Amino acid sequence: MLDNMPRGTVCIEDIEIGMTRHLRKVVTDRDIEMFAEVSTDHNPVHLDDDYANDTIFEGRIAHGMLTAGLISAVIGEQLPGHGTVYLGQSLKFLAPVRPGDLVTAQVEVTDIDLGRRRVKLDTHCSIDGKKVLAGEATVLAPSRKFD
């Protein structure tokens, strides 16, 4: 991680519409290899230069879910942070992520249901300001009253 914002917890009582958090990470060959190992997704478009060069991507790309995992890191480590439970996530993959790309993953609070401890977040990843992934997450946020 290059400039991961402070880690910890923002309790539901302190969350406000418009709050944002982000992290930046360079996706490496090692990241892709480790993700393939853990996920058991060994699609050659991620791992084999010769194969990937003959695809519409004209080169290797990172797993889409590896990129989506950066959103999970922001949610689980920063906003709301530790103690958060994922309830749902929509994802739209807009462009490939390649080894060596600097990805910025960002979340922004768009809705809060204090009584149910639900928070909706606009989620996206970008490279050089261009979105490569977009979606929305719904999470159960931690509370000082219950946790």
Side-chain angles (χ1 to χ4, degrees):
M1 305 292 171
L2 294 178
D3 67 346
N4 205 355
M5 295 177 80
R7 295 174 180 229
T9 303
V10 182
C11 291
I12 187 77
E13 296 86 358
D14 301 319
I15 295 175
E16 299 175 4
I17 302 285
M19 287 179 86
T20 65
R21 296 291 187 275
H22 73 274
L23 66 76
R24 290 190 181 107
K25 180 178 186 344
V26 173
V27 175
T28 66
D29 286 323
R30 183 172 180 268
D31 295 329
I32 294 168
E33 291 163 5
M34 288 191 321
F35 191 88
E37 191 64 31
V38 169
S39 69
T40 72
D41 178 355
H42 294 93
N43 184 330
V45 75
H46 307 303
L47 302 168
D48 183 321
D49 284 314
D50 291 334
Y51 177 91
N53 286 336
D54 288 335
T55 69
I56 61 169
F57 301 110
E58 298 178 340
R60 287 188 310 111
I61 60 171
H63 301 75
M65 295 309 290
L66 188 161
T67 304
L70 299 177
I71 295 290
S72 179
V74 178
I75 290 171
E77 292 287 338
Q78 299 178 31
L79 183 63
H82 298 173
T84 300
V85 177
Y86 242 119
L87 299 175
Q89 172 79 59
S90 66
L91 298 169
K92 185 171 183 178
F93 299 97
L94 305 172
V97 173
R98 300 179 185 283
D101 282 345
L102 172 60
V103 177
T104 300
Q106 181 171 315
V107 305
E108 179 178 355
V109 176
T110 59
D111 190 52
I112 304 165
D113 181 339
L114 189 61
R116 296 177 63 215
R117 295 172 47 196
R118 303 293 198 267
V119 177
K120 285 192 179 177
L121 303 151
D122 175 70
T123 62
H124 70 268
C125 292
S126 59
I127 298 171
D128 294 328
K130 178 185 175 191
K131 286 186 182 179
V132 295
L133 178 154
E136 180 181 82
T138 302
V139 301
L140 177 67
S143 169
R144 284 192 297 275
K145 295 178 183 177
F146 302 108
D147 296 332

